[in-house]
Amino acid sequence: LAKTTQPISMDSYEGQEVNITCSHNNIATNDYITWYQQFPSQGPRFIIQGYKTKVTNEVASLFIPADRKSSTLSLPRVSLSDTAVYYCLVGDRTGAVGNQFYFGTGTSLTVIP
Amino acid sequence: NAGVTQTPKFQVLKTGQSMTLQCAQDMNHNSMYWYRQDPGMGLRLIYYSASEGTTDKGEVPNGYNVSRLNKREFSLRLESAAPSQTSVYFCASSEAYRAQETQYFGPGTRLLVL
């Protein structure tokens, strides 16, 4: 049973806006949605987090609809350095252990010159 | 402030050998985690320690044991390594065990089991 679902890969040209969507149908009421970025040969690092509606920081924006069953990470005007794998993280109320949370399989973003 | 450190960075084992992966954090975090990352599988939680003195199984605990030595250190042990345990292992920590807490990751340990 997949906890989150993301596209496996995406390509984008430099300077374009990129939107990556994550589906999380079993998100728990009190859970937040967090996105991480991972460069090759490095550990993931935090990008942005939200609970509802829209959140924006200096790196990205996060859009969450009212039902919270999905979220969209938006990267404005991407550059080559944004080439990375992006992970969506949410809690799972259906997990047998109760309060565990899972990373998605990630979306590999390639930015093309 | 080094954040999360892991040793070793790379290790080659023969099937049946044992080893311990070490992890330490200097952020005074209560919770620590061990993940493995395999191609096409994303990050999968092996074990976690919500607070000092507690450990619990994650999604893929079989073949591993952990020890929360103190608040700073969380080790992962492979008692009898198998080729299926060839992977990149990441340790992480967070202030508390909640999905909304930011996790800080170490640089990873690449393990090859022959």
Side-chain angles (χ1 to χ4, degrees):
Chain A
L1 178 65
K3 310 302 184 295
T4 60
T5 303
Q6 302 175 236
I8 294 175
S9 64
M10 297 179 68
D11 294 335
S12 176
Y13 288 102
E14 270 191 301
Q16 289 189 329
E17 179 184 74
V18 171
N19 295 309
I20 305 174
T21 297
C22 178
S23 297
H24 28 77
N25 292 319
N26 294 323
I27 187 169
T29 302
N30 295 325
D31 285 332
Y32 280 67
I33 299 155
T34 310
W35 285 79
Y36 286 79
Q37 175 190 56
Q38 185 179 26
F39 298 115
S41 301
Q42 295 185 25
R45 68 169 190 170
F46 172 88
I47 303 178
I48 195 167
Q49 182 182 86
Y51 183 81
K52 229 172 194 177
T53 63
K54 176 184 175 182
V55 179
T56 298
N57 62 21
E58 65 278 5
V59 176
S61 294
L62 180 60
F63 299 91
I64 306 168
D67 66 7
R68 304 201 328 125
K69 293 185 181 299
S70 67
S71 59
T72 299
L73 174 72
S74 181
L75 304 172
R77 299 179 298 281
V78 294
S79 64
L80 296 178
S81 63
D82 292 317
T83 293
V85 178
Y86 293 82
Y87 291 93
C88 169
L89 175 63
V90 298
D92 176 24
R93 68 183 179 195
T94 66
V97 183
N99 198 30
Q100 290 188 1
F101 47 93
Y102 298 91
F103 279 77
T105 54
T107 298
S108 178
L109 172 66
T110 301
V111 180
I112 305 165
Chain B
N1 190 342
V4 179
T5 57
Q6 294 182 234
T7 56
K9 291 184 179 179
F10 182 72
Q11 184 72 44
V12 179
L13 290 178
K14 295 181 179 179
T15 296
Q17 287 185 319
S18 63
M19 78 162 295
T20 300
L21 282 65
Q22 306 286 354
C23 173
Q25 51 91 8
D26 62 3
M27 295 173 282
N28 200 35
H29 284 168
N30 290 299
S31 303
M32 298 184 73
Y33 315 84
W34 277 105
Y35 291 89
R36 61 176 289 173
Q37 185 171 40
D38 304 296
M41 301 296 290
L43 283 157
R44 293 183 292 171
L45 184 64
I46 305 171
Y47 270 93
Y48 66 97
S49 172
S51 60
E52 186 179 359
T54 69
T55 61
D56 285 287
K57 296 178 180 179
E59 186 181 5
V60 288
N62 292 342
Y64 305 95
N65 286 301
V66 291
S67 295
R68 183 73 182 266
L69 304 171
N70 47 56
K71 192 171 185 179
R72 289 187 64 249
E73 299 172 287
F74 189 39
S75 64
L76 178 72
R77 182 161 178 83
L78 287 71
E79 290 292 351
S80 179
S84 61
Q85 294 178 304
T86 293
S87 187
V88 181
Y89 292 85
F90 289 100
C91 177
S93 70
S94 66
E95 190 167 329
Y97 182 64
R98 289 188 296 264
Q100 62 263 41
E101 294 288 341
T102 299
Q103 291 184 58
Y104 296 84
F105 284 80
T109 294
R110 294 182 178 275
L111 177 64
L112 174 61
V113 183
L114 302 174

